[in-house]
Amino acid sequence: MNQNNLQQIFSHYTENFEFINNPDNDENYKWQVVKDFQGFMDKALSADIENFADALYKAKASTKNIIDSYTQPFHGLVEFARKEPETVRNMFLDLYADDGGNLKQQEKQIAEFFSKSNELLERYTPGSYRFKQNSHSVSSYLFLRDPDHH
């Protein structure tokens, strides 16, 4: 990753925040989603296993329109958590595990998340396009959890 380009993007974003955050765009709501998601995801990951799916639903609901769209990847994880809460909880814990800044390790964690999600998809909704994870959904889980590093 080119750190100079990334810093330039951040700089332009903050310099133009007032313009970006006009009434038509309301950029602030995205940062409120980040704050809300972090609290709800913390509660979900520490919830009793029998309450995990309901707690995960609250984290999903806090994301508003940022992750779920037509294919509903986050909703699918909530549904799978109703059947296999430990599997889905471990998927998130593994995805969020410290990668030590190692990009290869992060890629491995993301690939494993995709793999386990695909296994659940085939087990409970074989052949369906709904609930399928994609690069947008997984990068959103990472960003909403830790925007400073993702």
Side-chain angles (χ1 to χ4, degrees):
M1 173 182 288
N2 186 319
Q3 291 294 324
N4 290 332
N5 286 347
L6 184 61
Q7 290 308 315
Q8 187 176 15
I9 291 168
F10 290 151
S11 177
H12 289 307
Y13 177 80
T14 56
E15 288 170 9
N16 295 298
F17 189 77
E18 284 188 41
F19 173 76
I20 295 168
N21 190 42
N22 63 42
D24 292 334
N25 296 323
D26 188 21
E27 191 73 5
N28 279 335
Y29 100 93
K30 296 173 188 170
W31 294 105
Q32 185 62 47
V33 167
V34 169
K35 180 180 180 291
D36 294 344
F37 177 84
Q38 290 171 346
F40 284 120
M41 186 55 87
D42 286 346
K43 288 178 183 174
L45 294 175
S46 63
D48 293 335
I49 202 67
E50 57 273 356
N51 298 319
F52 174 71
D54 290 335
L56 186 63
Y57 175 81
K58 291 178 183 175
K60 182 208 90 64
S62 75
T63 66
K64 302 188 184 330
N65 65 341
I66 291 178
I67 298 175
D68 273 351
S69 60
Y70 186 65
T71 58
Q72 301 179 328
F74 205 168
H75 181 75
L77 290 175
V78 172
E79 292 304 311
F80 299 149
R82 296 194 190 291
K83 296 171 175 77
E84 294 190 37
E86 288 185 49
T87 300
V88 176
R89 181 196 308 237
N90 287 334
M91 286 170 58
F92 277 106
L93 289 172
D94 292 345
L95 181 66
Y96 293 148
D98 184 15
D99 57 31
N102 182 327
L103 190 56
K104 291 288 184 200
Q105 178 60 34
Q106 186 178 77
E107 289 172 351
K108 180 180 174 192
Q109 288 168 212
I110 291 169
E112 188 64 24
F113 188 90
F114 274 119
S115 176
K116 289 179 181 176
S117 175
N118 287 336
E119 289 173 15
L120 290 169
L121 191 66
E122 284 306 308
R123 188 165 29 256
Y124 295 109
T125 58
S128 176
Y129 63 90
R130 289 188 66 216
F131 305 154
K132 188 163 182 64
Q133 299 303 310
N134 55 50
S135 59
H136 169 76
S137 61
V138 177
S139 64
S140 295
Y141 305 136
L142 289 166
F143 169 78
L144 292 171
R145 179 74 173 173
D146 187 0
D148 290 336
H149 295 100
H150 301 284

